[in-house]
Amino acid sequence: MHTLIVIDQPPYGSWGGRESLDMAFSLAAFDQPVSLLFIDAGVLWLKQGQEPDGIYQKSVERNLAAASIFGVEALLAEATACHRFGLTDNNLINGVTRIENTGTTLQQYQHVVFSG
Amino acid sequence: MHTLIVIDQPPYGSWGGRESLDMAFSLAAFDQPVSLLFIDAGVLWLKQGQEPDGIYQKSVERNLAAASIFGVEALLAEATACHRFGLTDNNLINGVTRIENTGTTLQQYQHVVFSG
Amino acid sequence: MHTLHIVSKPPGNTRFRECLGMMGEQDALLLTGNAVTALADSTITLPAMVYALQEDVRARAIDPRQDISGQVTFDDMVSLTIRAQRVISW
Amino acid sequence: MHTLHIVSKPPGNTRFRECLGMMGEQDALLLTGNAVTALADSTITLPAMVYALQEDVRARAIDPRQDISGQVTFDDMVSLTIRAQRVISW
Amino acid sequence: MPADIHTFTLVITGAPYSSQAPETALGFARAVLRAGHTIDRVFLYGEGVHLASSLASPPSDETNWTRAWGDFLQEHSVPAVACIASALRRGLVNESEQKRYQLPASNLAAPFEIAGLGEWVESTIKSSVQSSRVIYFHGGA
Amino acid sequence: MPADIHTFTLVITGAPYSSQAPETALGFARAVLRAGHTIDRVFLYGEGVHLASSLASPPSDETNWTRAWGDFLQEHSVPAVACIASALRRGLVNESEQKRYQLPASNLAAPFEIAGLGEWVESTIKSSVQSSRVIYFHGGA
């Protein structure tokens, strides 16, 4: 059973996104198929060049770039949200698949989860 | 100096509105002029007939109906939000003043506060 | 019913709008907590199959729309989660 | 500047929209935390006087729009709160 | 187990006194047992871990949700687990974490326990069976 | 006091590890003192009271905001107060509240104190003077 974990908030302002990643990495650690879907302002997690040292947080960019190594099957991003926030091939981290119809994507997973 | 405390969330789903009322009643207890402004879904705090026993909470309707006795100068409600949520003279609690232009109202208070 | 979507956030929350935008035609919506205020919100178009937790509706003195599927108890909510092929909480 | 409006919530939050709707013409907007994502959001029209906390902008790799008043440090933020006749946090 | 008996895992991510999540989840949990189904586990995640605080002292005319949940869990022998990563960040610790991190006190209410996300993964794996469900209760802000 | 010296009250309503409010407020507080102004009080309200928990134990590579704020407050002798009503509901108590409510422990970190909304009202009254400001730091969700 494939789990889809959805992130819809920007990075760093709250801990929900980090706790979503923890869920994804835990499933992957137990060899359970899991993918991440970024929608709305959540797509900003996928932008290159994040430098959160100044707000005393760790960058999540490296974790996400290493997601496939950890066993996360796919990083999916809502195409319209990417367009809205100026995310293009040039500034998205590697390994992101943009999807046009999130509703259709959602239908494909038995287990769809928000962290909070 | 008159304080305006603004409530923009529906009742009972979170504690922010209650903590806004606590702020208003505290100012009033120290004889400081204070009014409450309800905007957006926050106007639902002002509806008659709330029965939160089933969700194990106390009704805030009585507190609000007694606001002027506690020294709160005015209960202001955004007129367009009242219209949106079907609030009329027949189902609003007593003592509510509907205002057309919240921006203009906001300009009149030196101290404008959200509880969270 | 294919999927039961449970929403607890008010209709102005982005999560509520995301849910409405991604629901399938065979899906049902269950409103809990502050989400029941959507029943009173004239700016919101709800899908055909909508349920709302009765105690949350009563708490907020919401007049349910005539056209919705109805108020449910927690017992009904349990049945809905079993009848659904899957459940998503927003 | 008459009022300094400090917003910490992202542009999809109702609070952000309420702030934009109630700002006066002499007012300035200061974006902190997740609110800085409004600078990258092509669906948001920001007022003339907009500031954003530099460290929050950098954290999120936001490319600031050319037309905004600029990124500010915490030192600048203190000055802004003093220059303003009043400050509202949303 | 007859085919019409279902097993539920409840995940609570909203805190009491900030959200209705613990209340909605408890109403649901009672209805699950009333209908003859079972609850294999309650999992607290994110803000939800605050439900397990032994120090919450709401005014006497408000419900103490830690106690209401604790009574329910004990009466029905339902295990409840707070995620350790969420709990440590938010200042929710049992005696063993108190010792490990040399903290001045512990504040985990019985019968809640602290464990890793593995417990949630286990429930997720189980829910691939048709007679099993994981239901999430989020905050309402 | 010269006319260009201002007095600030900071009100924090967002919790650490759920919001950036404590971080933004601390950056602002440091800049206030750097500019020669004063902070008469920090007031924690709502979710913000969690900042005063002595039991928060984030991973070693994350900032401990209770400690960072505690160090700042002590170094500059700035008083910080958690609202008693918010604190009791959310399980944040000092020794005297522990005794009063017969609780198993207390978890208020030094130098934070617990007091009523009267402290906030006092700051609000003071802020009617032109050289005084109350600045709120809310959560970002």
Side-chain angles (χ1 to χ4, degrees):
Chain A
M1 189 189 55
H2 205 132
T3 299
L4 183 70
I5 296 184
V6 189
I7 293 180
D8 64 350
Q9 292 294 320
Y12 307 115
S14 66
W15 259 245
R18 284 179 196 279
E19 295 186 316
S20 300
L21 292 192
D22 287 349
M23 288 176 134
F25 291 157
S26 289
L27 284 170
F30 285 86
D31 291 325
Q32 297 301 306
V34 58
S35 292
L36 284 159
L37 170 64
F38 298 82
I39 61 175
D40 210 326
V43 295
L44 286 165
W45 285 85
L46 302 169
K47 192 164 186 190
Q48 285 181 12
Q50 299 170 37
E51 294 176 13
D53 291 359
I55 57 170
Y56 305 96
Q57 291 191 41
K58 288 179 294 180
S59 175
V60 293
E61 190 184 328
R62 269 163 291 175
N63 301 34
L64 281 170
S68 71
I69 297 165
F70 284 109
V72 174
E73 296 206 0
L75 299 180
L76 309 171
E78 183 183 20
T80 51
C82 288
H83 184 72
R84 173 179 161 201
F85 287 99
L87 287 165
T88 64
D89 290 337
N90 295 327
N91 57 20
L92 273 171
I93 63 172
N94 286 331
V96 176
T97 305
R98 270 168 288 183
I99 54 168
E100 296 295 333
N101 191 326
T102 51
T104 308
T105 302
L106 218 63
Q107 297 290 340
Q108 294 160 14
Y109 296 82
Q110 176 60 22
H111 198 212
V112 177
V113 176
F114 290 87
S115 71
Chain B
M1 191 188 55
H2 206 135
T3 300
L4 182 71
I5 296 183
V6 189
I7 294 180
D8 65 350
Q9 292 293 321
Y12 307 116
S14 65
W15 258 245
R18 284 180 195 279
E19 295 186 316
S20 299
L21 292 192
D22 287 348
M23 287 176 135
F25 291 158
S26 288
L27 284 171
F30 285 85
D31 292 324
Q32 297 301 307
V34 58
S35 293
L36 285 158
L37 171 63
F38 297 83
I39 61 175
D40 211 326
V43 295
L44 286 165
W45 285 85
L46 302 170
K47 193 166 187 189
Q48 285 180 13
Q50 299 171 37
E51 294 177 11
D53 291 359
I55 56 170
Y56 305 96
Q57 290 190 40
K58 288 179 294 179
S59 175
V60 293
E61 190 182 327
R62 268 163 292 174
N63 301 33
L64 283 170
S68 70
I69 296 164
F70 283 109
V72 174
E73 296 206 359
L75 298 179
L76 309 172
E78 184 183 20
T80 51
C82 288
H83 185 74
R84 173 179 162 202
F85 287 99
L87 287 166
T88 63
D89 291 336
N90 295 326
N91 57 22
L92 273 172
I93 63 172
N94 286 330
V96 176
T97 305
R98 271 168 287 181
I99 53 168
E100 296 296 333
N101 189 327
T102 50
T104 308
T105 302
L106 218 63
Q107 297 289 342
Q108 294 160 13
Y109 296 82
Q110 175 59 19
H111 197 213
V112 177
V113 176
F114 291 87
S115 72
Chain C
M1 170 176 46
H2 181 269
T3 302
L4 177 68
H5 300 269
I6 302 178
V7 188
S8 54
K9 295 168 175 69
N13 194 292
T14 50
R15 197 68 71 79
F16 197 112
R17 284 174 274 151
E18 290 157 11
C19 172
L20 290 185
M22 293 192 216
M23 279 181 69
E25 288 188 6
Q26 306 291 310
D27 296 354
L29 184 64
L30 171 59
L31 307 172
T32 73
N34 273 347
V36 303
T37 62
L39 299 176
D41 186 342
S42 56
T43 65
I44 295 283
T45 304
L46 292 169
M49 266 189 289
V50 181
Y51 305 92
L53 264 186
Q54 179 178 279
E55 302 300 353
D56 283 313
V57 170
R58 282 192 191 152
R60 294 164 184 82
I62 303 293
D63 311 311
R65 299 182 188 183
Q66 296 296 321
D67 59 338
I68 72 149
S69 307
Q71 293 183 42
V72 296
T73 64
F74 279 115
D75 295 328
D76 300 325
M77 180 174 172
V78 171
S79 304
L80 287 170
T81 63
I82 288 174
R83 276 170 47 205
Q85 288 175 50
R86 94 188 156 148
V87 180
I88 302 178
S89 290
W90 296 77
Chain D
M1 171 175 49
H2 181 269
T3 302
L4 177 69
H5 299 269
I6 302 177
V7 188
S8 54
K9 295 168 175 69
N13 193 292
T14 49
R15 197 69 69 80
F16 197 113
R17 284 174 274 149
E18 290 157 12
C19 173
L20 290 186
M22 293 193 215
M23 278 181 69
E25 289 188 5
Q26 306 291 310
D27 295 356
L29 185 64
L30 171 60
L31 307 172
T32 73
N34 274 347
V36 302
T37 62
L39 299 177
D41 185 342
S42 57
T43 65
I44 295 284
T45 304
L46 292 169
M49 268 189 288
V50 181
Y51 305 92
L53 264 186
Q54 180 179 280
E55 302 299 354
D56 283 313
V57 170
R58 282 192 191 152
R60 295 165 182 82
I62 303 293
D63 310 311
R65 298 183 189 181
Q66 296 297 320
D67 58 339
I68 71 150
S69 307
Q71 294 183 41
V72 295
T73 63
F74 280 115
D75 295 328
D76 300 325
M77 180 175 172
V78 171
S79 303
L80 286 169
T81 62
I82 288 174
R83 273 172 47 207
Q85 286 175 49
R86 91 189 159 151
V87 180
I88 303 178
S89 290
W90 296 78
Chain E
M1 201 186 283
D4 57 347
I5 301 293
H6 284 69
T7 302
F8 287 83
T9 298
L10 276 49
V11 182
I12 302 176
T13 69
Y17 315 112
S18 296
S19 84
Q20 251 185 280
E23 182 266 318
T24 307
L26 185 54
F28 185 83
R30 288 191 172 122
V32 164
L33 300 190
R34 209 155 44 224
H37 306 298
T38 59
I39 301 173
D40 75 337
R41 181 184 286 130
V42 176
F43 192 78
L44 310 183
Y45 197 58
E47 305 290 290
V49 299
H50 289 302
L51 179 57
S53 167
S54 62
L55 305 183
S57 316
S60 56
D61 57 350
E62 288 186 20
T63 307
N64 184 320
W65 289 105
T66 304
R67 194 171 304 149
W69 258 107
D71 290 348
F72 172 85
L73 295 167
Q74 251 149 356
E75 185 181 344
H76 301 286
S77 301
V78 173
V81 163
C83 167
I84 187 165
S86 300
L88 284 174
R89 277 202 191 92
R90 292 174 177 83
L92 213 280
V93 295
N94 60 12
E95 285 177 23
S96 105
E97 302 305 327
Q98 176 191 353
K99 278 180 201 141
R100 184 193 312 256
Y101 294 97
Q102 302 180 321
L103 298 168
S106 66
N107 59 348
L108 187 77
F112 291 96
E113 294 181 21
I114 287 185
L117 267 169
E119 297 260 326
W120 167 77
V121 172
E122 200 183 289
S123 297
T124 305
I125 295 173
K126 276 193 204 160
S127 73
S128 60
V129 184
Q130 187 53 40
S131 63
S132 193
R133 291 280 185 283
V134 183
I135 309 290
Y136 294 79
F137 296 88
H138 297 314
Chain F
M1 201 185 283
D4 57 344
I5 301 295
H6 284 68
T7 302
F8 287 83
T9 298
L10 276 49
V11 181
I12 302 176
T13 69
Y17 315 112
S18 297
S19 84
Q20 249 184 282
E23 182 266 317
T24 306
L26 186 53
F28 184 82
R30 288 190 173 124
V32 164
L33 299 190
R34 210 156 43 225
H37 306 298
T38 60
I39 301 172
D40 74 336
R41 180 185 285 131
V42 176
F43 192 79
L44 309 182
Y45 197 57
E47 305 291 290
V49 299
H50 290 303
L51 178 59
S53 168
S54 63
L55 305 182
S57 316
S60 56
D61 58 351
E62 289 186 18
T63 306
N64 183 321
W65 289 106
T66 304
R67 194 171 306 150
W69 258 106
D71 290 348
F72 173 85
L73 295 168
Q74 251 149 356
E75 185 182 343
H76 301 286
S77 301
V78 173
V81 163
C83 168
I84 188 166
S86 301
L88 285 174
R89 277 202 191 92
R90 291 175 177 83
L92 213 282
V93 295
N94 60 11
E95 286 179 22
S96 104
E97 302 304 326
Q98 175 190 354
K99 279 180 199 144
R100 186 194 312 255
Y101 294 98
Q102 301 180 321
L103 298 167
S106 66
N107 60 348
L108 188 76
F112 291 96
E113 295 184 18
I114 288 185
L117 266 170
E119 298 260 325
W120 167 77
V121 171
E122 201 184 289
S123 296
T124 303
I125 295 173
K126 276 193 205 157
S127 73
S128 59
V129 183
Q130 187 52 39
S131 62
S132 193
R133 292 279 185 282
V134 183
I135 310 290
Y136 293 79
F137 296 88
H138 297 314

